[in-house]
Amino acid sequence: MWDSESESVTGRDYGNGILSSSKHGVKTGGFEQRDRSWYVATDIPSDFLVQVGDVNFHLHKYPLLSRSGKMNRLIYESRDLDLNKVALDDLPGGPEAFELAARFCYGIAVDLTAANISGLRCAAEYLEMTEDLEEGNLIFKTEAFLSYVVLSSWRDSILVLKSSEKLSPWAENLQIVRRCSESIAWKACANPKGIRWVYTGKPPKVSSPKWNEMKDSSPGRNSQVPPDWWFEDVSILRIDHFVRVITAIKVKGMRFELIGAAIMHYAGKWLPGLITDGAGFIDEASNSSNSNGNSSGGISWKGGLHMIVAGTKDDTPKVQAKDQRMIIESLISIIPPQKDSVSCSFLLRLLRMAIMLKVAPALVTELEKRVGMQFEQATLEDLLIPSYSKNETLFDVDLVQRLLEHFLVQEQTELSSPSSRSFSDKHMYDGTQRGANTSAKVRVARLVDSYLTEVSKDRNLSLTKFQVLAEALPESARTCDDGLYRAIDSYLKAHPTLSEHERKRLCRVMDCQKLSIDACVHAAQNERLPLRVVVQVLFSEQVKITNSLANSTLKESSEALYQPVISNRKTLLEGTPQSFQEGWATAKKDINTLKFELETVKSKYLELQNDMDNLQRQFDKMTNKKQTSAWTAGWKKLGKFTKMTNLEKTEIGSQVAAPEEQTRKTPRRWRNSIS
């Protein structure tokens, strides 16, 4: 960058990052070090001692006074003209930066690099090496190198920002951190195809790269740059500088998925607990990168620019618990608010570490809400978070309860949010949204059932906590209660001392009508279940079998009418996958077994009904014999006799009535009686 460009003003030259000055009062051949002391190689004996930390510099007053306002004030304001010793313990950059500044004061050429420029710039500011004392002083030259060399280079910007970690607050006040962060953000968001910067897997050089080297190592026109090329470089920064870079990248408008992936990559490097527990999400952070398979210095190169800065060491940094807490709090604050910006697995692992390290409660609550937004993506392994508080349970069941509540609140909010849409769009959105919410609730229900099955083995888990967590989801979330039945059975195994009332209370969370055939068969033979529950299971299964038989009959008749008949059964079996055939054979065998059991029960029921009828008849006969007597028998016979005589009288009366009618038809003669 600076190999062909030089500036010569009163003997100044900083081409290629080399600072030199022809104005110096003491001719010297250089500096030499003896133990922990530096001496100037000159014939004139030194008259001034400067102590920086535990290093002594034996120098001369005149070169320092001519370029450092700090030295002028220390000497002349002390009112001691014979002052020959000064201690500069608070000098930024330490002995290394002061050595370079002293060389510049003596006119010795100084090689500026990205590794030493930040310390030298802060030291020049501390020593007040301004233009008022001499034109082209150290502040001017270091500032020019920062602006024109460092900020135009990706690698140098990263290295300067990394070297500024030990220079707080000087680097902040001099805007070194801000300018480097914005430079990194601009290059990360820019299109790599239109920029000619270093793109190689070679180890970094000590000095800044030259333009011809950059052109030779730039990517070809046909090479594709992966979107995560900047992850590794940025991940070497300290957390506060990383936050500054990510914030600047957000302002530039980068996609939130890439920002979330960069955060996951950084957390995987600086939080060893996330790696040891499970490093799966680290691969997710760079799933869009194209691996070239090359390696250099023990690091696999993915085709990105990170090799320039990463060097030959990729060891996980050792971070104390206090620093880990600060890293977690900072990462929580910069995670993009959009859903799916980071994986749910990463959020849960971060939440586990946050609880373990006692992060601020407000940030933990914020992280719990983020997990609730993506709770349907969680896995059982991630949910098994140990209880780090004084709770008696092995796992933190209350935490999972809060996560589930956040999920339900988020689902309800999403259903009521699209109020500003048009009528047609709103109905289309409602249809798709309801389908998505239903599927999400189904996945969460399966996850909760699996979690209950696992935590129910803990004997310290109370029945109330189990019941509250099982009933937190609505009934529509579970289409089948087999998982819930499995959890209940596991809880009954681990808690054999439950009373009958407690077992009934536990089984109320389960709907017997939602159990599958296998679960019903198991429940019917389960001695741990209450008898009432077993009866309900058998009754519901009988109803389901009856309905299924009726439906199958209707279905077969409709298929015979409207579907073509498959004549060859062998072709049907060949067109069916083997797994389906085995599953259907097993299901058919179970159905036949249940049918046989049902027929057996029906036949026994008919036999019992016949026996009951026979017993009823015998009982009726016995009661009838006991009630009859001689008088009652005689009265019955007399009643029969009277009935018969009445009948006979009616017959005779009918016969006699016929001639009388005939006589009434003839005219009747009356005679006078003589008495």
Side-chain angles (χ1 to χ4, degrees):
M1 294 178 181
W2 288 84
D3 53 351
S4 60
E5 181 180 355
S6 62
E7 180 179 352
S8 178
V9 179
T10 64
R12 301 195 310 272
D13 181 19
Y14 47 87
N16 288 326
I18 306 297
L19 296 187
S20 63
S21 176
S22 59
K23 293 184 178 181
H24 53 83
V26 180
K27 293 183 179 181
T28 176
F31 278 46
E32 57 183 14
Q33 185 178 13
R34 302 171 190 171
D35 296 332
R36 301 294 296 172
S37 299
W38 284 90
Y39 296 89
V40 182
T42 179
D43 296 335
I44 303 175
S46 61
D47 58 353
F48 196 65
L49 176 64
V50 180
Q51 290 182 344
V52 182
D54 58 347
V55 180
N56 297 326
F57 291 88
H58 299 273
L59 307 174
H60 301 85
K61 287 185 179 180
Y62 177 73
L64 298 178
L65 295 177
S66 62
R67 292 175 174 83
S68 174
K70 177 82 170 178
M71 291 299 179
N72 278 279
R73 289 190 297 102
L74 289 176
I75 293 175
Y76 291 110
E77 291 179 2
S78 64
R79 297 180 182 179
D80 185 6
L81 299 178
D82 296 331
L83 181 67
N84 57 4
K85 182 179 179 180
V86 173
L88 303 177
D89 294 331
D90 56 346
L91 186 140
E96 294 81 8
F98 184 78
E99 177 199 348
L100 297 177
R103 287 177 182 271
F104 177 79
C105 292
Y106 278 91
I108 302 174
V110 177
D111 187 10
L112 295 182
T113 64
N116 61 26
I117 186 61
S118 57
L120 188 57
R121 173 67 183 89
C122 295
E125 189 71 22
Y126 177 86
L127 295 173
E128 301 174 12
M129 302 176 71
T130 62
E131 296 293 295
D132 297 337
L133 298 176
E134 182 183 354
E135 187 178 359
N137 210 343
L138 188 57
I139 291 179
F140 172 79
K141 292 194 174 183
T142 52
E143 190 66 32
F145 187 82
L146 276 172
S147 301
Y148 295 103
V149 179
V150 171
L151 298 181
S152 62
S153 170
W154 167 265
R155 169 184 173 272
D156 290 347
S157 299
I158 294 287
L159 291 179
V160 169
L161 194 56
K162 180 67 177 176
S163 63
S164 300
E165 295 176 355
K166 300 178 181 179
L167 299 173
S168 298
W170 288 91
E172 287 283 351
N173 296 335
L174 296 175
Q175 305 297 320
I176 296 176
V177 174
R178 181 189 62 80
R179 289 183 288 174
C180 290
S181 300
E182 292 182 353
S183 174
I184 294 168
W186 180 83
K187 292 178 176 62
C189 297
N191 187 2
K193 296 181 179 180
I195 300 175
R196 304 295 295 246
W197 52 42
V198 179
Y199 187 80
T200 180
K202 299 178 181 179
K205 296 183 179 181
V206 178
S207 60
S208 300
K210 298 181 180 180
W211 279 109
N212 53 1
E213 294 176 354
M214 294 172 67
K215 291 179 181 179
D216 295 338
S217 59
S218 297
R221 294 181 179 179
N222 297 327
S223 62
Q224 185 178 2
V225 180
D228 63 342
W229 62 266
W230 52 279
F231 287 4
E232 184 65 25
D233 282 352
V234 175
S235 65
I236 71 171
L237 300 174
R238 200 173 61 186
I239 182 60
D240 55 341
H241 292 167
F242 177 77
V243 171
R244 295 286 295 271
V245 170
I246 293 297
T247 304
I249 288 176
K250 284 183 179 180
V251 174
K252 301 295 181 183
M254 179 171 283
R255 290 180 297 154
F256 65 88
E257 298 93 345
L258 279 178
I259 295 176
I263 292 173
M264 290 195 295
H265 187 89
Y266 185 90
K269 186 170 185 177
W270 287 88
L271 299 175
L274 291 175
I275 298 177
T276 55
D277 290 342
F281 71 89
I282 298 177
D283 296 332
E284 296 175 5
S286 56
N287 55 3
S288 58
S289 62
N290 298 324
S291 177
N292 294 339
N294 300 332
S295 61
S296 175
I299 304 176
S300 61
W301 181 45
K302 295 184 179 180
L305 302 182
H306 59 270
M307 282 301 305
I308 304 164
V309 179
T312 58
K313 294 183 180 180
D314 194 23
D315 298 332
T316 303
K318 297 181 180 179
V319 186
Q320 300 297 328
K322 182 179 179 181
D323 297 331
Q324 288 185 352
R325 187 186 308 113
M326 183 177 64
I327 291 173
I328 292 174
E329 292 177 349
S330 301
L331 292 181
I332 294 174
S333 62
I334 63 174
I335 293 177
Q338 291 85 355
K339 186 178 179 180
D340 297 329
S341 58
V342 293
S343 65
C344 187
S345 177
F346 169 75
L347 291 174
L348 284 169
R349 294 180 185 276
L350 198 64
L351 179 60
R352 174 186 296 186
M353 291 196 68
I355 296 174
M356 180 178 62
L357 296 174
K358 297 181 180 180
V359 173
L363 293 175
V364 173
T365 304
E366 181 65 24
L367 195 56
E368 290 177 0
K369 292 181 180 179
R370 292 300 308 270
V371 175
M373 292 172 59
Q374 305 171 220
F375 195 56
E376 70 275 8
Q377 304 172 5
T379 60
L380 177 61
E381 182 182 359
D382 296 330
L383 282 183
L384 295 176
I385 300 176
S387 180
Y388 296 104
S389 59
K390 296 182 180 180
N391 295 335
E392 296 180 355
T393 56
L394 180 62
F395 298 103
D396 198 344
V397 182
D398 296 333
L399 173 63
V400 178
Q401 175 70 26
R402 293 195 301 270
L403 297 178
L404 186 57
E405 291 175 357
H406 290 310
F407 168 76
L408 295 175
V409 170
Q410 181 66 26
E411 291 290 318
Q412 188 66 28
T413 305
E414 290 181 356
L415 286 176
S416 59
S417 60
S419 58
S420 60
R421 300 173 181 268
S422 62
F423 183 79
S424 58
D425 294 342
K426 181 177 179 180
H427 281 271
M428 292 176 63
Y429 177 82
D430 288 344
T432 56
Q433 190 70 13
R434 286 174 184 173
N437 291 339
T438 303
S439 61
K441 287 182 181 179
V442 170
R443 290 194 296 268
V444 170
R446 294 174 183 172
L447 179 64
V448 171
D449 293 344
S450 301
Y451 180 80
L452 287 172
T453 304
E454 191 66 27
V455 300
S456 61
K457 302 174 184 178
D458 185 7
R459 295 187 176 182
N460 295 326
L461 180 64
S462 64
L463 177 60
T464 302
K465 286 188 177 182
F466 184 95
Q467 187 176 6
V468 169
L469 185 58
E471 295 177 346
L473 286 168
E475 295 182 359
S476 59
R478 291 186 177 93
T479 57
C480 180
D481 278 8
D482 286 5
L484 197 56
Y485 168 70
R486 192 179 298 109
I488 292 173
D489 185 54
S490 178
Y491 190 87
L492 291 174
K493 286 181 182 178
H495 301 78
T497 59
L498 290 178
S499 63
E500 184 72 15
H501 173 71
E502 290 175 338
R503 288 190 295 161
K504 289 181 180 179
R505 175 185 166 191
L506 176 65
C507 294
R508 286 196 194 103
V509 302
M510 175 184 62
D511 188 359
C512 298
Q513 297 180 0
K514 292 184 178 181
L515 295 178
S516 64
I517 297 177
D518 295 335
C520 288
V521 172
H522 187 276
Q525 302 173 358
N526 195 345
E527 298 179 354
R528 290 179 291 272
L529 294 177
L531 182 60
R532 182 176 180 180
V533 176
V534 176
V535 173
Q536 290 177 355
V537 169
L538 292 175
F539 178 76
S540 63
E541 185 59 25
Q542 183 178 1
V543 171
K544 284 192 291 185
I545 291 175
T546 305
N547 294 334
S548 64
L549 291 176
N551 293 332
S552 63
T553 304
L554 294 175
K555 186 176 180 181
E556 289 176 359
S557 61
S558 62
E559 288 178 354
L561 291 174
Y562 297 103
Q563 294 183 358
V565 179
I566 301 175
S567 59
N568 193 356
R569 183 174 180 272
K570 185 176 180 180
T571 57
L572 176 62
L573 293 177
E574 289 178 354
T576 306
Q578 185 67 24
S579 59
F580 289 176
Q581 295 179 19
E582 295 175 357
W584 171 248
T586 305
K588 190 174 182 180
K589 184 178 179 181
D590 295 338
I591 292 173
N592 292 332
T593 304
L594 291 173
K595 285 182 180 180
F596 177 75
E597 293 178 356
L598 184 61
E599 293 296 332
T600 304
V601 171
K602 286 182 178 180
S603 62
K604 289 183 179 180
Y605 175 76
L606 292 176
E607 291 177 0
L608 291 173
Q609 188 68 29
N610 293 329
D611 294 341
M612 185 66 185
D613 293 339
N614 293 331
L615 290 173
Q616 186 67 33
R617 294 192 193 97
Q618 293 178 4
F619 180 76
D620 293 340
K621 290 179 180 180
M622 294 291 294
T623 54
N624 291 333
K625 287 180 180 181
K626 289 180 181 181
Q627 291 177 359
T628 57
S629 60
W631 286 100
T632 55
W635 282 109
K636 288 182 178 180
K637 292 180 179 179
L638 183 60
K640 291 180 180 180
F641 178 75
T642 54
K643 290 180 180 179
M644 292 297 296
T645 54
N646 291 330
L647 291 173
E648 291 176 355
K649 286 181 179 181
T650 53
E651 292 177 356
I652 295 171
S654 61
Q655 294 176 0
V656 172
E660 288 181 353
E661 291 178 356
Q662 295 177 0
T663 57
R664 288 176 182 175
K665 292 180 180 179
T666 59
R668 186 176 180 181
R669 293 181 179 179
W670 296 91
R671 64 177 182 177
N672 297 323
S673 63
I674 299 175
S675 58

